[in-house]
Amino acid sequence: MEQQREFKFKYWNKNPSITFLQNYINDITNLNSKNFIPIQDRIAIFDFDGTIYGELAPIYAEWWMFKCRVLDDKNFNGDKEINDIANMVKIAGENREIPDNLEVLHAKQNPRAYEGMTLKEFENYTNNFISRQVIGFKGMTYKEAFYLPMVEIIKYLQEKKFKIYINSGSDRFFCRIVIDGVINIPKENIIGTEILLEGKYQNGKDGLFYNYSKNEEVIRTGILLAKNIKSNKVSQIERIIGKKPVLSFGNSEGDKSMANYITNNNKYLSAAFMLIADDNIREYGNIDKAQKKKDIWEKEGFIVISMKNDFKTIYKESVKKI
């Protein structure tokens, strides 16, 4: 076995999910084990919203920023189409219920809310938003709304020489900004929904026929390239990583494709973990919905992480649900 210090988990109860992961790591880092995985092939991939970061306050943070941009920002003048979708997001957040079609509708409109911004302007706008207090909680900003136990898992895997990737349904640049300074991974390891970028003076001209100039900046367009959910997550892994990870962490049907891909025909011993939001005391979990997910995912061979039972704490101790 590799020479390693014992990792002390601060935020986990000693329950089956964390025990399974520890046993798995002890096995695949043991040189004498048939399941040994070389360091260069130790790759773990994590979903973002609802897996390592809060998504119920009151809805995906990226979606709530979109709502605030379209409906509350006096500098933004949207048309009826984008305003209607922002209002749908507002209602979904207030009710904590997302209509089936809203994911696609939001994905198409979200790029339009920041069209023409340089990447630095978008970074500044996002940083300003995530400095706000999270709706539904006291003592926490959107920048701080990470699940401490899951951040700890990432640190644990990094100690075991794993390369970590984030594979999110949220905008790639939004995720990079929120994660910066919290999780120590390179920006290129953050995968997300893709929008078209172009030069400031390109004006929609095809990049095949346009040369970027010395004094130009990259700007965001209003064009969606790909919403990074379900099978698109698999495509992105192949395109960007070029290797099949051995560990997957998700929390939704949008992550099941990723989990199936990683655990099917993998040349190494692999595992997929699925987190359920079953804590309605410290979080806004839905116990009935979480139980249904648990039953389905356990039958499919995934390892279920219970926020209620497995997490000693979810956010920092001073955070209170209100």
Side-chain angles (χ1 to χ4, degrees), residues 4-28:
Q4 296 169 336
R5 72 175 182 88
E6 182 182 358
F7 190 92
K8 301 292 186 182
F9 288 95
K10 291 170 53 179
Y11 303 118
W12 287 82
N13 294 316
K14 192 70 173 177
N15 282 342
S17 60
I18 194 66
T19 300
F20 180 96
L21 180 62
Q22 288 177 292
N23 290 340
Y24 171 89
I25 293 299
N26 289 337
D27 188 11
I28 64 96

Side-chain angles (χ1 to χ4, degrees), residues 81-313:
E81 186 178 16
I82 196 170
N83 288 339
D84 285 349
I85 303 309
N87 273 304
M88 287 181 68
V89 170
K90 179 177 182 289
I91 292 167
E94 290 170 351
N95 295 338
R96 301 188 189 278
E97 286 290 337
I98 300 174
D100 290 340
N101 63 340
L102 186 52
E103 188 161 47
V104 172
L105 294 172
H106 166 267
K108 291 179 179 178
Q109 294 300 317
N110 190 64
R112 297 184 62 215
Y114 315 102
E115 186 173 2
M117 283 189 181
T118 66
L119 296 184
K120 184 61 179 177
E121 288 169 342
F122 181 74
E123 179 182 350
N124 292 340
Y125 192 92
T126 302
N127 276 325
N128 180 64
F129 171 78
I130 62 178
S131 68
R132 302 179 185 186
Q133 291 292 306
V134 175
I135 293 174
F137 289 90
K138 182 179 179 181
M140 180 170 66
T141 66
Y142 283 100
K143 179 69 175 180
E144 300 168 318
F146 285 82
Y147 300 153
L148 295 181
M150 298 306 296
V151 174
E152 190 171 50
I153 287 294
I154 290 174
K155 292 177 180 177
Y156 170 62
L157 293 176
Q158 287 175 324
E159 279 206 7
K160 306 306 178 183
K161 312 299 183 185
F162 271 77
K163 183 177 284 189
I164 305 297
Y165 286 85
I166 306 299
N167 199 9
S168 176
S170 289
D171 181 284
R172 179 201 292 261
F173 295 94
F174 176 84
C175 291
R176 284 178 175 177
I177 296 159
V178 178
I179 288 169
D180 184 42
V182 179
I183 297 173
N184 185 25
I185 59 174
K187 285 186 176 180
E188 59 265 29
N189 287 26
I190 299 172
I191 304 167
T193 287
E194 301 283 4
I195 65 157
L196 180 67
L197 304 175
E198 65 178 24
K200 187 173 183 178
Y201 310 119
Q202 194 168 339
N203 294 322
K205 191 172 183 179
D206 193 313
L208 287 170
F209 309 105
Y210 181 81
N211 277 319
Y212 186 89
S213 66
K214 287 183 179 180
N215 299 319
E216 207 160 1
E217 292 182 88
V218 175
I219 64 168
R220 295 174 61 98
T221 74
I223 299 172
L224 173 71
L225 293 178
K227 176 66 175 175
N228 192 41
I229 58 171
K230 299 180 180 177
S231 288
N232 285 348
K233 289 197 170 189
V234 175
S235 302
Q236 290 282 61
I237 292 170
E238 285 289 359
R239 279 198 328 103
I240 294 172
I241 303 176
K243 281 185 177 181
K244 185 175 282 194
V246 296
L247 287 176
S248 166
F249 295 82
N251 81 306
S252 71
E253 283 296 301
D255 302 317
K256 199 166 80 168
S257 294
M258 184 169 70
N260 286 334
Y261 163 75
I262 285 165
T263 54
N264 183 46
N265 293 325
N266 201 317
K267 68 178 181 178
Y268 296 116
L269 182 66
S270 59
F273 292 76
M274 289 295 223
L275 189 149
I276 55 172
D278 59 349
D279 193 320
N280 61 359
I281 303 299
R282 301 175 297 177
E283 246 286 5
Y284 290 89
N286 184 316
I287 294 174
D288 291 339
K289 187 182 292 185
Q291 185 61 50
K292 289 176 183 177
K293 287 184 177 182
K294 179 177 185 291
D295 294 342
I296 292 170
W297 287 339
E298 285 182 340
K299 287 178 183 176
E300 294 181 355
F302 304 146
I303 311 305
V304 173
I305 297 171
S306 163
M307 293 179 74
K308 178 182 178 181
N309 298 321
D310 295 349
F311 289 0
K312 281 185 180 177
T313 186

